[in-house]
Amino acid sequence: MAAWSGVRRALSGGRRPVWAASLSPEERLRRMLPPEQGAEEPSGAPRAVPPPFRAGELALVEAPRRQRAPLRALCRLAAGAALGAPGGLLLPHDSVIGRLPGEVVRLRGGGRLLVRRPSLEEYALLMPRGPAIAYPKDISAMLMMMDVHPGDTVLEAGSGSGALSLFLSRAVGPKGRVISYESRDDHHSLAKKNYRHWRAAWEIGHMEEWPDNVDFILKDISTAAEDMKSVTFDAITLDMISPQSALSVVHPSLKQGGVCTVYLANITQVIDLLDRIRTCKLPFLCESIVEVTHRKWLVLPAKIKNCKSSQTAETQENTEEETHQKDYDEIHIQDQIVLKDIECNELQKDVFLTESISDDAETYCSVPYVARPSNWQDAHSAFLTKLRKFRPVNS
């Protein structure tokens, strides 16, 4: 170990660089090796540059907040339009059009916003809603339950606002098909509108067409027995208040061994569903009932308040690195939390012990960090029931 430390000091000129304290061992070794031996990219390798923003596509604007998730707004870019920003400031769309996604845009009042293209998850959370949507954390679990493949044909009962329809559209691909039933006219129109807007924005921003593979049908699924006779589904998903009324209609069209997932808000609805399956002797096995929960964590560099730090003075190299990251630090200013005065003495002890260790012992961070569960957690959204169709023995 001592010999290896000596080699590292020899490669770095006998003195460890300032940047070595905050890098992993692999990264420090890569920087110390000559260019021809390091893992460098070929000089002629093309760089993947996303297309700039254009009028008509969707843009996601983020404003940082201290110790909380950033404020996000979704807008469709149009020449001459403007978006209201926090603090009463305005973000002209013309200042975004032509820029690359991921850039920081300055407001006229001095603020800064991060502008980028939204993911499908972010669009589903920020798009206009009528009824409550199926949340992406639940949708991902439902897609795994159904084991949807490209080219599959999937039945959706309950279009809602169209969130699940969009994820199913991507999962089945251009060769697949999604048939979505909705009994309410306002929900049916909203789901079609959200789906159409996403397809149009995707085509403008990504220079390729999103598959047009969703058929929205305004009809109660419990009265669509005749429609079900002419098609076989690889999977079925039900997002309805009373899904048991649709099971007797849709189960003949589900392939043998196929999965039907049911999205229900209350556990009493799950009990009613299972009781209907039992009393009507429907050919479904309940494989699992799950509730998807995510626990968010906050891992942030600490900001010392009202106590002296024993860290060394900044060198010129440190100052240059901070200058290059000035914009980044301003955007992430919410990633700072204040330590209580009572913690300062313990912090000074930790810093002293770290600095008293010889150069042979490496430290991978230059500031203390605080890790704890976030104050803002996602609440309960739904119970997901997985039903598998089987063939009775006597049949």
Side-chain angles (χ1 to χ4, degrees):
M1 199 61 192
W4 175 240
S5 301
V7 171
R8 286 187 297 183
R9 284 195 296 270
L11 290 174
S12 60
R15 181 181 179 183
R16 187 174 59 184
V18 178
W19 48 258
S22 59
L23 298 177
S24 65
E26 292 81 2
E27 180 65 18
R28 292 199 302 274
L29 179 60
R30 188 191 67 80
R31 291 201 180 191
M32 290 186 291
L33 289 176
E36 62 272 13
Q37 300 180 22
E40 299 289 341
E41 296 183 358
S43 57
R47 295 181 59 189
V49 179
F53 282 112
R54 296 194 297 169
E57 69 170 307
L58 295 172
L60 182 67
V61 181
E62 288 186 348
R65 292 189 296 178
R66 184 180 180 85
Q67 300 186 33
R68 294 178 63 182
L71 286 173
R72 290 179 177 145
L74 192 66
C75 65
R76 184 175 296 276
L77 298 176
L83 174 68
L89 304 176
L90 292 178
L91 175 64
H93 289 192
D94 292 333
S95 63
V96 178
I97 297 175
R99 289 178 175 267
L100 295 177
E103 291 190 6
V104 177
V105 179
R106 294 179 180 270
L107 299 176
R108 293 176 178 174
R112 298 185 181 187
L113 297 174
L114 177 64
V115 184
R116 58 184 177 84
R117 289 191 174 96
S119 65
L120 182 56
E121 175 188 3
E122 292 163 336
Y123 177 74
L125 293 173
L126 297 174
M127 68 184 185
R129 299 185 192 178
I133 65 168
Y135 283 85
K137 68 181 181 67
D138 297 318
I139 293 177
S140 59
M142 295 168 70
L143 292 176
M144 288 190 294
M145 287 179 174
M146 293 185 290
D147 196 21
V148 178
H149 293 82
D152 284 354
T153 301
V154 181
L155 171 66
E156 177 191 15
S159 304
S161 299
L164 181 54
S165 305
L166 283 165
F167 282 91
L168 288 173
S169 172
R170 182 171 67 177
V172 301
K175 297 182 179 180
R177 206 72 194 166
V178 179
I179 301 177
S180 181
Y181 280 81
E182 176 57 57
S183 59
R184 290 186 50 169
D185 185 26
D186 53 343
H187 295 175
H188 171 75
S189 301
L190 181 59
K192 291 178 63 177
K193 181 180 179 181
N194 286 334
Y195 179 73
R196 184 175 63 251
H197 284 177
W198 174 257
R199 289 190 66 243
W202 180 272
E203 185 174 356
I204 296 175
H206 294 80
M207 308 295 185
E208 62 181 16
E209 184 179 4
W210 182 275
D212 185 11
N213 55 5
V214 180
D215 296 329
F216 292 97
I217 300 175
L218 179 59
K219 191 175 185 179
D220 190 348
I221 189 66
S222 60
T223 63
E226 291 296 325
D227 301 345
M228 301 292 106
K229 293 181 180 179
S230 59
V231 62
T232 300
F233 297 106
D234 298 287
I236 295 176
T237 177
L238 306 178
D239 185 3
M240 308 166 56
I241 297 177
S242 300
Q244 54 269 22
S245 62
L247 281 180
S248 58
V249 176
V250 302
H251 86 80
S253 300
L254 180 62
K255 71 178 183 180
Q256 205 70 37
V259 173
C260 174
T261 60
V262 187
Y263 185 95
L264 293 170
N266 302 316
I267 195 63
T268 54
Q269 294 175 293
V270 178
I271 296 174
D272 293 340
L273 172 68
L274 298 181
D275 187 62
R276 175 66 67 89
I277 294 174
R278 182 185 61 85
T279 56
C280 296
K281 298 181 179 180
L282 296 176
F284 284 107
L285 292 175
C286 181
E287 292 191 350
S288 63
I289 302 170
V290 300
E291 179 186 13
V292 180
T293 57
H294 286 177
R295 184 176 176 87
K296 297 180 180 179
W297 275 74
L298 212 61
V299 181
L300 306 174
K303 182 178 180 181
I304 305 173
K305 182 179 180 180
N306 294 334
C307 66
K308 297 180 180 179
S309 173
S310 60
Q311 295 180 0
T312 57
E314 294 180 350
T315 63
Q316 183 177 0
E317 186 173 356
N318 282 335
T319 305
E320 292 177 355
E321 290 181 357
E322 290 182 358
T323 302
H324 292 310
Q325 295 189 356
K326 182 178 180 181
D327 293 343
Y328 180 85
D329 292 339
E330 290 181 0
I331 287 296
H332 290 78
I333 190 64
Q334 79 276 11
D335 292 345
Q336 300 290 331
I337 61 178
V338 179
L339 293 179
K340 297 180 181 178
D341 296 343
I342 195 172
E343 298 173 340
C344 291
N345 293 333
E346 296 297 328
L347 178 60
Q348 288 180 345
K349 294 178 182 178
D350 293 341
V351 174
F352 174 77
L353 290 175
T354 301
E355 292 185 349
S356 63
I357 299 176
S358 63
D359 290 344
D360 294 341
E362 299 290 341
T363 57
Y364 302 139
C365 60
S366 57
V367 296
Y369 273 70
V370 173
R372 60 174 175 81
S374 175
N375 294 332
W376 300 89
Q377 300 289 345
D378 294 332
H380 162 80
S381 53
F383 294 99
L384 310 180
T385 305
K386 180 181 179 181
L387 306 174
R388 188 177 297 277
K389 183 180 177 180
F390 70 97
R391 182 178 181 181
V393 176
N394 57 4
S395 62

